[in-house]
Amino acid sequence: MSATLSCDTVWTAARLLPMTVPGQPDAVIEQGVVAARDGRIVYAGSAEAAPAFAAGRTIDCGGRLVTPGLIDCHTHLVYGGSRAGEFEARLEGASYEAIARAGGGIVSTMRATRAADEAGLIAASAPRLAEMIAEGVTTVEIKSGYGLELAAERAMLRAARALGSQMRVSVATTFLGAHALPPEYAGRADAYIDLVADTMLPALAAEGLVDAVDAFCEGIGFSATQVERVFAAAGALNLPVKLHAEQLSNLHGAALAARHGALSADHLEHCDDAGIVAMAAAGTVATLLPGAYYFTRETVLPPVAAFRAAGVPIALATDCNPGTSPMTSLLLAMNMGATLFRLTVAECLAAVTINAARALGRRDIGALAPGLWADLAVWDVAQPAELVYRIGGRPLHARYWRGQ
Ligand code: NIG
Ligand code: FE
């Protein structure tokens, strides 16, 4: 006889996919129940083993699949303007790198972002976030990196925080001051890195705007040595790091990130064995971004089989950004992860729940277990594979963020 458990909400008749054991496709609990109190899960498991509940409300899930709310762990969701014109230029043969070197690319979005104020950035970005929410996303990471000066980076991060307080979704902010060299620092990249590491990051961190620190380690971005400077500054502030690594070439960014205990290294198409071994040893998540792979027509695949063999956890994200992945659909990213990268269904599901939580350094989201936030997605699908299989459609039946 178990005692009665008092709670705010009980979800019954759920086919539960708790994601507490990543990579196990058959872990669906057919007759599942979830109970929450004060926004946190107090029970998730089979109806048979459940205690008696004294609940404020009971929600009958009607036998639907219930998963943790989805987590988009790598986005550049807040920005001004559009790069549709650049897309047209690429269709006529210009490369992403050539456009960037000619002053377009990230710098063109920088101009549009600097021209918008915080309210303008919120207005431009809220519809993108609403599209994610409509697909069951309950946590989204949002990077700065289109301001490239203190005031505009601050406006981006404040806009991200404001979206999180307005829209019933958790927002994790990442400072990406080292995303591209702003034109006023042309030929003075080291001086810009000094500004990022010594001025911008400490100021924004002191304002509570920074949950993690990222950089773009690339020929058109910053060198490994420059990234080290930024990571050292993050370390001094006790902030976790992550890295855009090995997207267009191999500058050994994955190993660098792992050396700094990075939460994740992201993109990784050009990652080598040394990077994989280092990531495995450090527990660094490989965040794969198939939308950017697809949209830039990259031809080198990320070494998925080697990540799998080495036991590197794999996350998937939209990389929502105006230049290389103008995509808000995390479900499409799952489909692309399977179709383009050959991830299994179980890997795709873990990649947007428990492993995406790890990529944000979070243990309180990404699975359905006592103590975690009651972030739930209820789906109109017969089996988990349908979440990965479908292209388009809106399979979400209901979404609960912190129990509401
Ligand atoms: O993740 N690689 C760098 N950052 C983005 C692209 C940014 C842009 O082109 O605006 C990415 O792909
Ligand atoms: Fe990115």
Side-chain angles (χ1 to χ4, degrees):
M1 269 290 154
S2 45
T4 300
L5 195 58
S6 86
C7 50
D8 307 318
T9 309
V10 178
W11 292 265
T12 61
R15 298 185 64 231
L16 272 193
L17 199 56
M19 299 310 303
T20 45
V21 190
Q24 291 206 359
D26 300 322
V28 176
I29 298 167
E30 290 296 334
Q31 301 287 330
V33 176
V34 180
R37 184 173 55 230
D38 299 331
R40 299 271 189 173
I41 295 171
V42 291
Y43 179 83
S46 72
E48 214 178 6
F53 298 109
R57 65 171 176 168
T58 300
I59 295 168
D60 184 344
C61 296
R64 291 184 181 84
L65 184 73
V66 176
T67 68
L70 306 189
I71 300 168
D72 195 340
C73 67
H74 179 142
T75 87
H76 310 250
L77 178 101
V78 168
Y79 61 84
S82 158
R83 303 246 288 280
E86 195 177 283
F87 171 61
E88 275 195 285
R90 283 205 294 115
L91 290 175
E92 280 157 24
S95 76
Y96 178 70
E97 278 170 292
I99 290 168
R101 291 190 192 283
I106 293 170
V107 168
S108 92
T109 300
M110 177 208 78
R111 285 189 213 98
T113 300
R114 285 182 180 179
D117 58 7
E118 191 183 315
L121 291 174
I122 293 170
S125 309
R128 293 190 277 271
L129 185 52
E131 286 170 24
M132 291 177 177
I133 287 171
E135 282 196 349
V137 168
T138 48
T139 300
V140 60
E141 184 255 19
I142 301 178
K143 301 176 195 296
S144 70
Y146 291 121
L148 309 180
E149 64 182 10
L150 180 58
E153 289 287 302
R154 176 187 288 122
M156 288 187 74
L157 293 168
R158 287 177 56 97
R161 283 272 192 257
L163 288 166
S165 58
Q166 290 167 17
M167 292 182 74
R168 294 164 41 75
V169 64
S170 301
V171 169
T173 56
T174 300
F175 173 63
L176 178 57
H179 193 198
L181 192 62
E184 62 271 22
Y185 276 87
R188 297 187 296 134
D190 285 331
Y192 178 67
I193 289 296
D194 288 344
L195 176 76
V196 166
D198 300 339
T199 305
M200 288 167 54
L201 174 56
L204 297 169
E207 292 168 40
L209 291 171
V210 181
D211 296 328
V213 176
D214 193 352
F216 186 24
C217 188
E218 191 59 67
I220 58 168
F222 296 95
S223 70
T225 310
Q226 290 162 341
V227 171
E228 297 260 14
R229 284 265 296 116
V230 176
F231 281 4
L237 294 165
N238 268 324
L239 290 169
V241 299
K242 39 183 55 237
L243 188 63
H244 282 72
E246 274 83 282
Q247 179 183 12
L248 308 168
S249 62
N250 182 6
L251 297 188
H252 310 292
L256 184 165
R259 270 203 306 285
H260 287 264
L263 295 173
S264 68
D266 303 40
H267 288 286
L268 299 169
E269 279 84 347
H270 296 263
C271 188
D272 59 16
D273 286 345
I276 294 165
V277 168
M279 286 174 67
T284 298
V285 174
T287 297
L288 304 183
L289 304 167
Y293 171 92
Y294 161 83
F295 196 72
T296 59
R297 308 190 77 232
E298 174 63 65
T299 53
V300 177
L301 284 162
V304 165
F307 284 131
R308 190 184 279 136
V312 175
I314 295 173
L316 285 165
T318 61
D319 196 15
C320 174
N321 79 72
T324 64
S325 190
M327 170 163 106
T328 53
S329 175
L330 191 54
L331 293 175
L332 179 56
M334 290 164 76
N335 177 273
M336 288 176 163
T339 305
L340 299 174
F341 295 168
R342 305 322 261 168
L343 295 179
T344 66
V345 164
E347 286 171 335
C348 288
L349 290 165
V352 297
T353 55
I354 186 140
N355 289 354
R358 298 291 180 272
L360 297 178
R362 298 281 297 269
R363 293 284 191 269
D364 58 346
I365 52 172
L368 301 178
L372 277 65
W373 287 109
D375 292 351
L376 272 58
V378 184
W379 305 97
D380 272 320
V381 301
Q383 51 182 320
E386 284 194 38
L387 294 178
V388 181
Y389 154 80
R390 291 191 194 184
I391 301 172
R394 279 283 157 89
L396 187 73
H397 173 74
R399 169 191 174 278
Y400 299 90
W401 177 71
R402 300 193 168 180
Q404 301 293 317

